[in-house]
Amino acid sequence: MNVTLRDLTKHYRRGVTALDHVTLSFATGMFGLLGPNGAGKTTLMRILATLIAPTSGNAQIGAWSVSRRRDRAAIRAVLGYLPQDLQLYPELTASEMVDYVALLKGVNNSHKRRTRSAALLDVVGLTDVAGERVKALSGGMRQRVGIAQALVNDPRLLIVDEPTVGLDPQERVRFRNLLADLARERVVLLSTHIVEDIAQSCQQLAVLDHGHVAFRGTVAELTANAQGCVWHTHTQPPASATLVASMPTPQGTSWRTVGPPPAADATPAEPTLEDGYLALMTRKPRP
Amino acid sequence: MDLRTLGHGSLPLLAGAVVICLVAVAYAHAAYTPATAGHLLDGCLEELLPLFCGFTASTLLAGDQALELQASARRALARLALVRLGALLLLTLASGGVVYIAGVAGLGVIVPRSAPGELVLTVLAPALLLAALAFGASIAMRAAPPASTLILALVAAENIAPGSLSSGPLRWVFLFATTYTPHEPGWLVNRLVLLLGALALLALGAIAASRPGTALALAHGDSP
């Protein structure tokens, strides 16, 4: 399945432009979406999830357009969606919550629903608390219920917005691996602030900034973007430098910066995806 | 399971309304005539319980935090709202039945319209209209509190000026015809007009609920 966005634009009522002529395409596999707060990532995902309509332009998911009313039902049938601000029904148990979403997604056979819910709760490691009410679960557990409900209809397009928020490092790695596994036979669109999640699981990514596509390419290409402009220094960098990290060492504080050499003693360092992202964002003139 | 997603928030409100009705009717029966107590009983059935129904209907979709998940699924939001509304109306009618039986069978209160069909219409017509109005208003105004305020204002207005609102063309949409003008010949037409008006409002509300962006606006107060 291919997802193609052409000149996708979204204006909100108060004159805010969340997306401005965004053109992108991606296919089966894991596609990462990076960008600062307010870049338009969530708006883009909500348009793809048919929750809001674009002001102009089009998003095509397979043969269906998000702008056509009759296509929206078809898109929802193949969609798995984990929203950024996940809210569940507190009175339902974890198992009932997943079962209920399966019902909403058209799985009418109750035996099939129960089997699927149990299998997914096992996948996300919640079998032991399947009978607990959602209100009694921890934030991380609720997030895992959210992940299970997103997978309940075996979606061909999986949209996950900040999915690893609230998960501990072990759960994060486990979830990343699960997404990578799922992406072998479906489109997975992953939006996150955690650059490491993208670095470890996506081949392709886009960076959104103020509603524009600031970058579209591979993880290696974005990382290479910072080649020759990542530095280590033991001299306090100037305030104008883009500071990535400061680390106390036996020799004094060590700083890592992105940009021009911050001091005479600066030595070049191997860039990471985070460096590439920061280099891109600091170079790009803000609209 | 749709009903369980609504939570139990409205049940104490309903229980409170039923208790108020029972205490008020019992007091009126003890202090005044059975006919006066009957007038009050009609007021409870036609005003207080439908007002509860309207208040709750304003939260059928507005304020449902998980609406973003609901809207991303295949099933229409309007269907969820209608299932919840159906349950709410049944609950309101059942409460009306409890109050009526306690008042008439228990205390011997006399009401002017006591045929089963008339009793159902006494509760159902204003309840459905207030519920439909509150539901539609909550979608239009993106929140439950202003919708509740609107129907409270309507109920207050009809009680402040029942004389002018129950005569002339407005009598067809007067909500409390059983309480104020039970013997008027157009009573049944009034009930039918209220029911048809409510259905029209519900249809408009359902169309508005199915528009992209409505669910997010109701769940998070966004303004698409």
Side-chain angles (χ1 to χ4, degrees), chain B residues 140-168:
Chain B
M141 296 190 269
R142 312 290 204 214
S148 295
T149 306
L150 176 75
I151 60 161
L152 187 61
L154 178 65
V155 169
E158 299 227 342
N159 278 290
I160 289 167
S164 44
L165 292 173
S166 62
S167 57

Side-chain angles (χ1 to χ4, degrees), chain A residues 33-41 162 191-193 206-209 277 281:
Chain A
L33 209 51
L34 272 177
N37 288 332
K41 304 186 299 293
E162 302 287 349
S191 165
T192 180
H193 284 106
V207 178
L208 283 184
D209 187 28
Y277 171 73
M281 299 311 284

Side-chain angles (χ1 to χ4, degrees), chain A residues 164 167-180 197 200:
Chain A
T164 54
L167 299 185
D168 64 37
Q170 224 175 347
E171 288 170 339
R172 240 180 69 201
V173 171
R174 187 174 160 169
F175 179 60
R176 234 161 40 197
N177 292 337
L178 173 66
L179 282 185
D197 283 348
Q200 294 296 330

Side-chain angles (χ1 to χ4, degrees), chain A residues 12-14 46 51-53 72 76-77 79 81 83 85 87-89 91-92 96 99-100 104-105 149, chain B residues 1-2 4-5 64-66 68-75 80 84 142 212-213 216 220 222-224:
Chain A
Y12 286 108
R13 274 185 190 156
R14 285 181 290 271
R46 284 174 169 174
L51 292 168
I52 51 176
R72 286 201 285 268
R76 287 172 190 167
L79 173 74
Y81 179 55
D85 182 18
Q87 298 287 342
L88 305 167
Y89 291 110
E91 296 298 328
L92 301 187
E96 285 170 342
D99 186 82
Y100 180 59
L104 295 178
K105 291 187 173 180
Q149 68 76 29
Chain B
M1 216 180 302
D2 274 330
R4 293 187 57 203
T5 61
D64 182 336
Q65 296 286 305
E68 192 170 353
L69 279 188
Q70 291 267 8
S72 70
R74 283 171 76 180
R75 211 177 66 171
L80 172 74
R84 287 175 171 178
R142 312 290 204 214
L216 283 179
H220 305 303
D222 294 356
S223 55

Side-chain angles (χ1 to χ4, degrees), chain B:
Chain B
M1 216 180 302
D2 274 330
L3 300 180
R4 293 187 57 203
T5 61
L6 194 54
H8 306 303
S10 54
L11 290 179
L13 190 63
L14 177 63
V18 170
V19 168
I20 289 170
C21 290
L22 293 175
V23 169
V25 172
Y27 174 75
H29 178 69
Y32 305 104
T33 63
T36 307
H39 181 69
L40 193 69
L41 177 59
D42 273 337
C44 290
L45 295 177
E46 198 176 34
E47 299 192 34
L48 196 58
L49 293 177
L51 186 61
F52 149 80
C53 187
F55 280 154
T56 309
S58 67
T59 63
L60 286 179
L61 292 184
D64 182 336
Q65 296 286 305
L67 222 49
E68 192 170 353
L69 279 188
Q70 291 267 8
S72 70
R74 283 171 76 180
R75 211 177 66 171
L77 275 185
R79 182 172 156 183
L80 172 74
L82 291 179
V83 168
R84 287 175 171 178
L85 179 65
L88 178 61
L89 287 171
L90 284 177
L91 209 56
T92 306
L93 285 172
S95 304
V98 168
V99 172
Y100 176 79
I101 290 167
V104 173
L107 298 172
V109 168
I110 299 164
V111 291
R113 289 194 177 268
S114 56
E118 289 176 336
L119 286 168
V120 168
L121 285 176
T122 293
V123 183
L124 185 64
L128 188 60
L129 192 102
L130 289 175
L133 189 61
F135 172 63
S138 71
I139 290 174
M141 296 190 269
R142 312 290 204 214
S148 295
T149 306
L150 176 75
I151 60 161
L152 187 61
L154 178 65
V155 169
E158 299 227 342
N159 278 290
I160 289 167
S164 44
L165 292 173
S166 62
S167 57
L170 285 177
R171 73 183 186 280
W172 304 118
V173 290
F174 184 56
L175 287 171
F176 309 130
T178 314
T179 307
Y180 289 104
T181 55
H183 303 296
E184 286 291 314
W187 182 87
L188 185 61
V189 178
N190 162 276
R191 300 288 100 173
L192 294 177
V193 168
L194 290 182
L195 289 176
L196 288 174
L199 293 176
L201 283 172
L202 277 178
L204 289 176
I207 290 168
S210 64
R211 291 180 57 211
T214 301
L216 283 179
L218 291 172
H220 305 303
D222 294 356
S223 55

Side-chain angles (χ1 to χ4, degrees), chain A residues 18-60:
Chain A
L19 294 174
D20 192 3
H21 294 92
V22 169
T23 296
L24 265 181
S25 67
F26 43 95
T28 300
M30 188 110 132
F31 189 83
L33 209 51
L34 272 177
N37 288 332
K41 304 186 299 293
T42 296
T43 296
L44 192 156
M45 296 190 136
R46 284 174 169 174
I47 288 174
L48 289 176
T50 71
L51 292 168
I52 51 176
T55 307
S56 65
N58 188 28
Q60 193 83 16

